[in-house]
Amino acid sequence: MEITIMKPLGESGRKARAEEFGVRTDSDCNGAAMRRAIQHCKNEGIGELLVQPGVYRFGAGQHPVFEELSDFRFDGGGAEFVFRSAEAFIAIRHCRRMEFRNLTVDWDWDLSPLASIGVVERVSEDASWFELAFPEYESVPAGLDIRTLNPMNPRTLTPGCEWGREFGGNVLGEVLEVRGNIMRIALPDPENFRFLNRGQAYIVRHYVYDAPAFELHENEHLKLEEVTVYGAPGHAFVATGGQRHWGLARCRLLKRPGTTRCISATADGCHISNSLGSFLMEYCYFSGNGDDCLNIHDNSVQNFERLDSRSIAIGNVFPWRNPFAPGDPVEFRHPDLSPTGVTATVADADWDERGQRCVLTFGEALPGDLSAKSILFNRRYNSGHYVVRHNFFHHNRARGALLHASDGLVEHNYFYRNQGPAIQIECGAEARWAEGFGVDNLTIRNNRIESCDVNHWSMAVIYMGVYLEQGRTRYPIFRDIAIERNTIVDCPQQAVFVSSCERVAIRGNALLNPNAGPSKSDRDGDANCVPNRSLYQGTIMASHCREVVIEHNRRIAVAPAADDRIWVEADSAGSVEIRGNHGFPKVG
């Protein structure tokens, strides 16, 4: 599979230099000057904008916006842009055949830290309060917002640790007292915090989804190359809308060297949502971020209220998350994700953003027997057709790669010590989010997965499943998937779990010390842990599936293993072939 990204056409030779428009290293805000430079290039048909090496600050906002440019190159020349306003650092919108390269971006951490190291200093006997120390500071910074507390290894100060549980600041009570660098915080529901103990370390996020480093929208044939992100109060790269034929090459996301920072971007490394696909990611290095390194999906929504034969109201939606618009073909799925056979075209979308509600009117009447619990797929979008290879994803708070879109190739990547699974393939709908239209035609091969799912979030480092109100579905929402020739080392529980699928091959994988950690119960988990953990058995497991082949996999265990079987859930699986595997004493 290959992804085509066209280069800018022509070599006009006309170049502009940012300093000619007032971009200077001694300026506290280069926003207006940078915008003048970009507008000049657009007005005059300039083919390339260059920046001199140096550190440039954007203190008063007016961040760079590249919009409606064609056949254009931006070369940062190794410069660094530093931002302090929680809005997209750099926006690239509606551009065609554009290259963006050689730039570092960062957040002004001295003005406002994105996250801090927090250590439990003391817990009251009745768990009605606890004290949290911030060893980076002599005194707690004024106005420090506690959004989430994510467990970290107290020795390595990296995300995730065995038995770690994370929680949001919304479950905490008032700050009772501040003494130097220690906060005493009330716990309104003490019984839920019996797990707190002195010495536990946390990444305390002060920002989460506030603003991305790069906002990419509706571009075609865009390539970002040699771009480094040291910090952002949200995603590092976020792509939406008609974004297609684009890629990241040799881009980096990491904590700034020489600092005590505990986070890079506070959310995903690369977040692709409701786009048109054809994405290439090669030779990138993503680490230290506050959510998934890579997340490729489109958004669905479940439940509607019928207003008349052609109109429905849906809730818990926002235009940025569920961008319904006239002309969009909307497919209705049963609550178990199986097709209803109904697709209708939107004639009008009336949004009430404050009420998180949208009224959709269709060009034709809807069948009267459609369930109000139907799941809606907006088929205008398809973020599929992607190649992800030769990347290093490590030490991030969540998953290495969330793959919720079709036609993908994921190969020759290294996943190391990610808090959650290395690769998670999902589809579903719940109150918090509803992502994915299913996955067809995905190959995961020749990857090395080492010491992932550190926090026992999921049950396997390659995990395939649905999340639905009624639980698993027998409908095969995942089809034609190959998991082959991967090396999986030191996973705490299962190596591979597949479900709600058909025509899946798990072959030729090397599994070294799988199931090497103690099993985590539902009681020990947090909101992101897979429920019903007692239902998961074996090193490789298949359930709610058909036409699955598990062959020529080799398991070697030196460390004690909690389970060593290949396990098939007989009541829900059919046509599962198991042959030529080594190191598995029996099949369950």
Side-chain angles (χ1 to χ4, degrees), residues 248-251 281-286 389-392:
L248 304 175
R250 292 180 294 282
C251 293
M281 184 177 189
E282 293 184 302
Y283 300 102
C284 292
Y285 177 106
F286 278 22
R389 60 190 173 205
H390 300 298
N391 303 291
F392 186 17

Side-chain angles (χ1 to χ4, degrees), residues 403 410 423 425 442-447 462 482-484 486:
L403 307 175
V410 178
I423 296 173
I425 304 161
L442 170 63
T443 298
I444 300 168
R445 69 187 182 203
N446 298 327
N447 301 285
I462 298 180
I483 301 170
E484 55 191 21
N486 302 285

Side-chain angles (χ1 to χ4, degrees), residues 468-537:
L468 296 168
E469 180 181 339
Q470 70 272 26
R472 301 219 177 275
T473 175
R474 291 176 184 264
Y475 178 73
I477 196 70
F478 311 115
R479 293 187 174 93
D480 299 304
I481 295 175
I483 301 170
E484 55 191 21
R485 300 192 302 277
N486 302 285
T487 298
I488 298 175
V489 184
D490 181 32
C491 52
Q493 293 155 134
Q494 294 173 325
V496 181
F497 172 82
V498 299
S499 65
S500 301
C501 58
E502 68 179 5
R503 298 189 298 275
V504 172
I506 305 168
R507 64 164 61 94
N509 300 286
L511 313 178
L512 309 179
N513 284 339
N515 303 88
S519 296
K520 193 173 187 179
S521 69
D522 290 339
R523 181 184 64 255
D524 298 317
D526 56 44
N528 290 305
C529 287
V530 170
N532 304 312
R533 302 172 79 83
S534 61
L535 300 179
Y536 294 82
Q537 305 290 328

